[in-house]
Amino acid sequence: EVKKNGKNGYQFYTGELNEQLQEKIELEVELRQAIARKQLFLNYQPQIRAGDGQMIGVEALVRWNHPTKGTISPGVFIPIAEETGIIYEMGTWVLREACRQMKEWHRGGGPLIPVSVNLSSQQFHQTNLAMYIKEILEETGLEPQYLELEITESMMMDATVSRSILNELTESGIRISLDDFGTGYSSLSYLKLLPIHKLKIDRSFIRDITENNNDKAIVATIISMAQHLNMDVIAEGIETKEQLDILMDNDCKKIQGYYYSKPLPAQDVEEAFFAPMRASGS
Ligand code: C2E
Ligand code: MG
Ligand code: MG
Ligand code: MG
């Protein structure tokens, strides 16, 4: 009988599996309550114009302030939210909170910059996605040109991420950005079929760009393609001056990464980035 050999690998393995499963189930239960209990919050990572260091936008990134586990990152709980359908309510909350914060900054004399919000593919399964996003803009008073939606390449290939929804969104003035560009399995022809405004070069091409000529070539090609397609381009995951210099040499002027700033609470963005902007009069 298995229990008599309590120390064998099999028992150890199932025990560990059960523990992981148990933990996941607990997280799921707690995640369902997290929104109502106001445990979710947004951090904002500045997007910087490399030439003069000005903040030209922010990306909203959700965090979960768990009562006992501390801050949990979206890499852990977004997949659970997606598997369980919690993503619908969470996605709506993120959109509303990001738009509210942006409008508050605009009203308070902060910089007139846009916010980028990540969408999950499931959110496109909601038939009224475009309508409720427009409702959130009306509710919060944020002008549509200050909202940018980030979708991924694989979502672009997903039939439910339909051209009609993206067209409806962009016709109202909202912008669409392709996140993690270069990592998905997408056909470039989608770039001309869908209303995409911006390519976001994935961090995986930036990481080794100072030593890896293939990465350098890919990044240069993405930048050039974006320019030829009249799209905006931004590089994410810039951590060092050396990486920044390569991007600038290749004419990529928009940068997001730890080199300039980690994602910060709204208050910290104000303190670190608003005052310098006022001082420079822009
Ligand atoms: P993402 O949309 O590609 O966001 C960028 C991620 O890279 C963020 O991780 C950010 O903190 C990290 N990052 C930015 N600059 C650097 C850098 O220089 N070095 C390194 N090592 N990392 C950098 P985060 O906040 O943990 O988010 C992870 C992913 O979770 C996001 O990737 C996005 O796919 C997803 N996510 C975050 N917030 C939301 C949300 O509100 N809704 C949805 N659906 N997904 C979200
Ligand atoms: Mg993103
Ligand atoms: Mg993403
Ligand atoms: Mg990304």
Side-chain angles (χ1 to χ4, degrees):
E1 195 206 312
V2 184
K3 274 187 184 153
K4 281 185 185 156
N5 305 311
K7 281 177 189 158
N8 73 16
Y10 177 75
Q11 265 235 312
F12 176 71
Y13 181 65
T14 52
E16 199 169 81
L17 247 179
N18 282 336
E19 223 171 84
Q20 282 177 11
L21 188 66
Q22 191 59 42
E23 192 173 320
K24 197 178 152 199
I25 292 169
E26 273 172 29
L27 271 187
E28 181 186 327
V29 171
E30 292 167 331
L31 189 56
R32 278 193 195 286
Q33 304 161 337
I35 301 174
R37 296 186 175 173
K38 303 199 188 312
Q39 291 166 356
L40 295 185
F41 65 98
L42 297 183
N43 272 349
Y44 298 88
Q45 188 175 29
Q47 300 177 333
I48 303 293
R49 186 168 59 209
D52 58 6
Q54 289 294 304
M55 180 168 63
I56 48 161
V58 289
E59 178 175 8
L61 294 156
V62 67
R63 301 285 182 265
W64 178 10
N65 184 14
H66 187 280
T68 56
K69 296 187 168 75
T71 303
I72 303 184
S73 77
V76 173
F77 67 84
I78 291 281
I80 301 177
E82 289 178 335
E83 276 170 42
T84 54
I86 298 172
I87 194 70
Y88 297 115
E89 197 188 341
M90 183 180 293
T92 307
W93 181 84
V94 168
L95 275 159
R96 185 175 291 117
E97 175 58 16
C99 292
R100 187 203 62 73
Q101 180 63 69
M102 220 41 47
K103 188 64 194 178
E104 186 184 308
W105 280 346
H106 291 178
R107 277 208 190 97
L112 291 174
I113 54 169
V115 63
S116 304
V117 176
N118 293 281
L119 289 186
S120 284
S121 60
Q122 272 98 327
Q123 293 180 267
F124 282 86
H125 299 191
Q126 295 167 291
T127 47
N128 55 355
L129 178 72
M131 197 188 70
Y132 91 69
I133 292 180
K134 287 192 266 184
E135 277 171 12
I136 287 172
L137 288 171
E138 271 175 34
E139 252 176 62
T140 56
L142 186 72
E143 295 82 352
Q145 71 266 30
Y146 296 116
L147 177 61
E148 182 172 277
L149 300 173
E150 294 196 0
I151 65 172
T152 59
E153 267 177 285
S154 38
M155 286 165 67
M156 190 171 67
M157 305 284 285
D158 176 348
T160 52
V161 181
S162 71
R163 220 160 132 181
S164 63
I165 300 180
L166 290 179
N167 282 335
E168 194 183 341
L169 287 165
T170 52
E171 275 158 19
S172 72
I174 294 165
R175 293 165 54 85
I176 307 291
S177 174
L178 261 195
D179 203 359
D180 310 335
F181 187 75
T183 59
Y185 302 89
S186 75
S187 151
L188 291 179
S189 62
Y190 279 79
L191 290 181
K192 62 174 191 187
L193 291 174
L194 298 173
I196 307 292
H197 298 96
K198 190 193 251 179
L199 301 182
K200 217 170 165 179
I201 304 171
D202 190 67
R203 175 152 57 93
S204 60
F205 299 113
I206 305 298
R207 195 174 42 231
D208 304 320
I209 198 168
T210 48
E211 306 100 53
N212 188 318
N213 285 327
N214 290 336
D215 284 338
K216 207 183 202 174
I218 291 170
V219 167
T221 305
I222 295 174
I223 295 164
S224 154
M225 181 175 69
Q227 287 167 346
H228 283 102
L229 289 168
N230 273 320
M231 290 178 188
D232 231 352
V233 62
I234 185 167
E236 72 180 342
I238 306 292
E239 296 183 355
T240 67
K241 176 78 168 69
E242 290 70 29
Q243 292 168 338
L244 175 67
D245 287 343
I246 293 176
L247 268 296
M248 297 212 18
D249 284 347
N250 284 281
D251 208 20
C252 180
K253 303 179 183 84
K254 297 181 178 176
I255 303 291
Q256 182 178 338
Y258 294 173
Y259 177 72
Y260 285 112
S261 176
K262 294 200 168 187
L264 302 169
Q267 178 79 42
D268 294 359
V269 174
E270 290 175 30
E271 282 164 18
F273 288 88
F274 282 20
M277 288 182 92
R278 283 202 197 93
S280 78
S282 59

